[in-house]
C-alpha cells in the first residue's frame, strides 16, 4: 500500500470524495456539513493524500494548516471495497507523523455527532483525541463533535 500527495485530478479520487459528501449530506443537516469539496481541498494550506493498493484507491485524508503550530484533519475516507481493512488507521498514522514533521503542537478535527460518525469518533479517541469546543471558524453545533490532540 502506498500513500501519495494527490492533486485531486483523478476520477477515482473525485468519485470517492463525491460519495463522501453525499453520505455526509444524507445524515447531517446541510448547514452542519463541514466536509470540503474538491475545490476547497485544493487550497494552498491543505495537503491531500490518497492511499492506493496497486491501482485501486483505498482511501484518502488531508491536513489543513491553521497556523504554524496548529492544523486540522480533514476528509479521512475509506473506499467501500477497503472498509475494515485498516485504511483510516493508516491515514491517521500518516497524518500524525506528518504533523510531527511539521512541528505542529495541536491537531484538531470536526466530525458529525450522529450514529453514522461513531466509528470515527472512537478511532480518534483511541489515538488520544479529546472532545473540545469549537476551534478556528467553527461555531457550536449539536451536529458537530470537535476534538483535539496535543502533540509532543
Amino acid at each position: 500500500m502506498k500513500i501519495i500527495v494527490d492533486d485531486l485530478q483523478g476520477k477515482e479520487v473525485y468519485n470517492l470524495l463525491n460519495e463522501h459528501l453525499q453520505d455526509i449530506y444524507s445524515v447531517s443537516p446541510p448547514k452542519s456539513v463541514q466536509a470540503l469539496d474538491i475545490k476547497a481541498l485544493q487550497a494552498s494550506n491543505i495537503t491531500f493524500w490518497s492511499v492506493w493498493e496497486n491501482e485501486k484507491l483505498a482511501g484518502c485524508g488531508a491536513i489543513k494548516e491553521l497556523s504554524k503550530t496548529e492544523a486540522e484533519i480533514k476528509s479521512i475516507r475509506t473506499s467501500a471495497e477497503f472498509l475494515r481493512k485498516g485504511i483510516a488507521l493508516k491515514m491517521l498514522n500518516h497524518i500524525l507523523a506528518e504533523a510531527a514533521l511539521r512541528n505542529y503542537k495541536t491537531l484538531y478535527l470536526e466530525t458529525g455527532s450522529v450514529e453514522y460518525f461513531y466509528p470515527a469518533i472512537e478511532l480518534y479517541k483511541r489515538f488520544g483525541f479529546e472532545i473540545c469546543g469549537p476551534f478556528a471558524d467553527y461555531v457550536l453545533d449539536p451536529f458537530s463533535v470537535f476534538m483535539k490532540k496535543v502533540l509532543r
Side-chain angles (χ1 to χ4, degrees):
M1 223 170 262
K2 65 182 176 181
I3 297 175
I4 62 167
V5 173
D6 198 296
D7 64 6
L8 295 123
Q9 299 297 311
K11 69 174 180 154
E12 298 93 342
V13 170
Y14 173 86
N15 290 339
L16 181 61
L17 289 172
N18 190 44
E19 176 185 286
H20 180 59
L21 287 172
Q22 287 178 358
D23 285 351
I24 291 173
Y25 274 100
S26 76
V27 297
S28 301
K31 290 183 179 181
S32 295
V33 172
Q34 305 299 330
L36 301 177
D37 62 17
I38 287 179
K39 183 173 172 77
L41 285 167
Q42 291 173 325
S44 61
N45 65 334
I46 296 178
T47 304
F48 182 88
W49 295 277
S50 54
V51 182
W52 296 84
E53 169 125 353
N54 300 316
E55 302 303 314
K56 291 185 176 183
L57 178 63
C60 63
I63 193 167
K64 177 181 180 181
E65 185 169 281
L66 302 174
S67 73
K68 293 295 179 197
T69 60
E70 299 177 320
E72 177 185 3
I73 294 172
K74 299 297 291 182
S75 302
I76 292 183
R77 176 71 179 204
T78 301
S79 299
E81 181 180 345
F82 291 91
L83 288 173
R84 288 173 276 295
K85 294 185 179 177
I87 302 303
L89 182 77
K90 267 189 196 316
M91 180 52 65
L92 187 52
N93 274 319
H94 180 78
I95 289 172
L96 288 168
E98 183 67 23
L101 287 173
R102 295 181 185 190
N103 294 312
Y104 293 140
K105 304 293 180 223
T106 309
L107 265 183
Y108 293 94
L109 64 91
E110 181 278 338
T111 192
S113 64
V114 298
E115 186 175 348
Y116 175 86
F117 299 100
Y118 291 178
I121 293 168
E122 290 307 311
L123 174 65
Y124 297 131
K125 284 182 178 179
R126 284 197 319 264
F127 273 77
F129 284 83
E130 298 177 342
I131 303 294
C132 67
F135 58 92
D137 296 330
Y138 291 103
V139 296
L140 201 55
D141 182 335
F143 291 93
S144 287
V145 172
F146 303 100
M147 302 181 86
K148 76 175 183 177
K149 177 180 175 72
V150 176
L151 305 174
R152 300 192 193 315

